[in-house]
Amino acid sequence: MKIYEYQAKEIFKKNGIPVPINQLTENGLDAERATENINKSVVLKSQVLVGGRGKLGGIKFADNPYDAHKRTDELLKLKIKGEQVDKILVEEKLDIESEFYLSVIMDRSVRKPLIIASTEGGVDIEEIARETPEKLVKYYVNSLEEFLPYQARDIAIEIGVPKHLISKTGIIIWNLFNLFQKYDATIAEINPLALTPQGLIAADAKLDIDDDALYRQSELMNKGSVKKDEFAYVELDGDIAVIGNGAGLTLSGMDMLKLYRGEAATFLDIGGGASKENIARALDIVISNPKVKVVFLNVLGGITRADDVANGVISVLKRAERKVPLVIRLTGTNEEEGQRILNESGISFETSMEAAASKAVELSSKL
Ligand code: GDP
Ligand code: MN
C-alpha cells in the first residue's frame, strides 16, 4: 500500500527525521492562508501516489500568498499519470545546498532489508545507478541482528558526506531503518535529503507498506479494518500456534497439546462468529511469528461455518511467504462442504481434537 507524501512526512517527523514546515490544503484559498502562516516562499506539492511528479509539472514554487493561491488552482486542474490532483502540500521552501539520496527497501531475492545511500540525490535512483554507480552505497542489514547506530554512521562515511555531517546523517539513516521496520514498509525513501543552512531535512518522503502486514499497522489502516484487540492473543514459549474459535475450545486445544507433550507458541481465540477474513488474519498473525513451527487450527463450526474456515485457510496459504505446516481440526456447521474444499486443495484435516493435536506435536518434533 502506498501512502501520500504528507502522511509519510508525518511518520518521518514522529520518528526523528526532520521535515519542512508544511500544511495540507485542498483549494487555492487554503493554500494562500497556509503560505501566510508559513510566512516565507513556499513549494506547492501535488499529493499523488505516482512517482516523479516534479518532472511532470506537479511541483510549483510561490513567493507570496497570492501567488500560492493562483498556482494551487493550476495544480488542482492537473492529472499526473492519470491521477487527478486534489490535495496540495504547502511547504516552506528550503534553501538547498546539496541533495542526498537515502532509502531502505526489502530485497526479496535475499530476504533482507537493503539500505541504499548516495550523495548524488534529487534525481531518480536509476539515474544515479547509471551515471555515478561508484557513488551508490548498498548495505544489507542482517535481520537477525540489531542494526546499530555506528553501522549507520559507517554508511554515511562511505558515501562521503562531509565530516561535520557524519553523525547527523547517521542518525537519519538509523531512524529511517527503524521506521522501515516499525511500519512494515517495503520501501522507505528520502529523495532528496536536503542539506540546508538549518541542517539536513527530508524534502521528499516515500513510504510503501507491506499489504500483508496491514493487520498490525492499525495507525495506518482505514476504518473498517481490524483492530488488534479483536482477538484474544497471547504469545507463549513453545513452537505450536494454537488457534481456536472460543476461549474454551482454544484452551482445550492447548490441554490436548500438553497431553501429547507439545508446547503452545500462541493462544489465539478468534471468537464465536469468526469470518473467513478473521481466520485469515489469525493465520497471518501466527505465521509471521518466527517461533511458530506448526499451526494447530482447532475449529468447531457453530456460528462460524466450516466452509468459511476452509476458504480463509486457503486464501492465506496461497500467499503466505513462510511455509508453516498446518493441522486443522474442522467439524460442525457445513463440515462436509468445508472438508471438501480442504480436500480439493490438498490440505489434510482431522475431525477429532486428539488426532489433530497429536499430529501437530509429531510434525513439530520433526522440524
Ligand atoms: P518528486 O519529483 O515527486 O520526486 O518530488 P520532490 O519532492 O522530490 O521534488 C522534486 C525536486 O524539486 C527536488 O529534487 C528538488 O530539487 C526540488 N525541490 C523540492 N522541494 C524544494 C525546496 O524546498 N527548495 C528547493 N530549492 N527545491 C526543492
Ligand atoms: Mn523526490
Side-chain angles (χ1 to χ4, degrees):
M1 181 185 77
K2 292 176 193 277
I3 65 173
Y4 289 101
E5 176 194 14
Y6 76 89
Q7 298 171 313
K9 278 182 165 158
E10 278 169 22
I11 290 176
F12 280 23
K13 189 175 170 186
K14 239 195 274 175
N15 290 275
I17 296 174
V19 301
I21 296 168
N22 64 31
Q23 200 172 319
L24 186 68
T25 66
E26 292 182 7
N27 59 58
L29 188 59
D30 277 354
E32 182 178 332
R33 294 203 178 114
T35 308
E36 272 166 15
N37 290 339
I38 293 170
N39 200 21
K40 344 175 9 186
S41 292
V42 294
V43 192
L44 306 164
K45 308 180 85 176
S46 305
Q47 296 301 289
V48 286
L49 296 174
V50 294
R53 68 208 147 144
K55 282 184 203 150
L56 297 166
I59 293 182
K60 289 181 186 284
F61 296 88
D63 289 330
N64 57 61
Y66 169 78
D67 219 20
H69 189 144
K70 215 170 63 181
R71 303 264 170 260
T72 295
D73 284 342
E74 290 165 16
L75 286 174
L76 288 170
K77 291 194 188 105
L78 213 62
K79 263 193 181 173
I80 300 178
K81 292 185 187 163
E83 193 178 332
Q84 179 63 51
V85 176
D86 58 10
K87 290 189 180 62
I88 305 294
L89 187 64
V90 180
E91 285 195 331
E92 63 171 318
K93 182 177 168 189
L94 302 173
D95 232 337
I96 302 183
E97 291 162 10
S98 61
E99 302 184 320
F100 302 158
Y101 176 92
L102 274 189
S103 69
V104 186
I105 61 167
M106 183 52 80
D107 187 336
R108 287 182 183 272
S109 60
V110 293
R111 296 167 176 253
K112 279 182 187 162
L114 171 64
I115 298 174
I116 304 175
S118 176
T119 48
E120 307 296 299
V123 295
D124 292 353
I125 176 73
E126 289 84 7
E127 204 170 317
I128 308 174
R130 204 169 45 238
E131 319 233 310
T132 48
E134 70 284 357
K135 297 212 162 166
L136 206 66
V137 168
K138 290 183 171 188
Y139 181 95
Y140 281 101
V141 179
N142 182 345
S143 353
L144 299 176
E145 283 168 15
E146 200 184 340
F147 177 61
L148 297 167
Y150 85 87
Q151 295 170 310
R153 280 197 299 276
D154 280 350
I155 296 172
I157 294 167
E158 209 180 322
I159 59 174
V161 300
K163 228 179 185 154
H164 67 282
L165 290 175
I166 290 172
S167 143
K168 293 227 165 70
T169 310
I171 291 170
I172 292 175
I173 294 173
W174 196 64
N175 286 341
L176 188 68
F177 177 77
N178 286 323
L179 83 82
F180 170 87
Q181 291 219 305
K182 175 170 162 195
Y183 290 88
D184 290 307
T186 52
I187 299 176
E189 183 187 68
I190 308 177
N191 187 25
L193 174 64
L195 177 59
T196 75
Q198 293 89 51
L200 291 166
I201 301 178
D204 193 6
K206 179 174 154 111
L207 191 63
D208 291 358
I209 310 295
D210 186 345
D211 289 326
D212 286 340
L214 286 178
Y215 67 87
R216 55 182 183 193
Q217 294 300 342
S218 51
E219 189 188 333
L220 300 169
M221 281 192 301
N222 300 324
K223 281 200 292 276
S225 311
V226 244
K227 291 183 259 9
K228 202 179 164 200
D229 39 334
E230 193 170 313
F231 300 134
Y233 177 57
V234 183
E235 290 190 5
L236 304 159
D237 292 329
D239 55 6
I240 302 173
V242 180
I243 305 177
N245 60 332
L249 189 69
T250 313
L251 283 171
S252 317
M254 291 182 52
D255 287 344
M256 209 60 80
L257 268 192
K258 275 274 183 202
L259 194 65
Y260 293 100
R261 310 214 177 285
E263 292 292 337
T266 71
F267 168 96
L268 203 169
D269 167 20
I270 50 178
S275 63
K276 175 180 135 192
E277 286 74 25
N278 281 353
I279 304 265
R281 284 192 192 105
L283 284 172
D284 276 334
I285 291 174
V286 300
I287 288 176
S288 68
N289 177 344
K291 280 201 310 202
V292 171
K293 288 206 267 175
V294 175
V295 178
F296 172 25
L297 180 62
N298 184 18
V299 184
L300 183 64
I303 310 169
T304 306
R305 293 165 21 200
D307 50 333
D308 269 353
V309 175
N311 285 321
V313 168
I314 288 165
S315 73
V316 170
L317 293 189
K318 266 193 201 143
R319 62 176 159 77
E321 255 185 47
R322 199 161 81 87
K323 299 286 171 230
V324 178
L326 195 71
V327 179
I328 308 172
R329 180 263 181 142
L330 187 60
T331 51
T333 312
N334 285 10
E335 64 179 33
E336 288 85 9
E337 178 63 5
Q339 293 167 358
R340 187 188 62 76
I341 295 170
L342 291 177
N343 257 331
E344 273 181 6
S345 300
I347 300 167
S348 63
F349 60 87
E350 302 289 339
T351 49
S352 88
M353 211 188 323
E354 289 85 346
S358 83
K359 194 167 162 190
V361 175
E362 191 191 320
L363 282 173
S364 78
S365 66
K366 283 187 196 148
L367 293 170

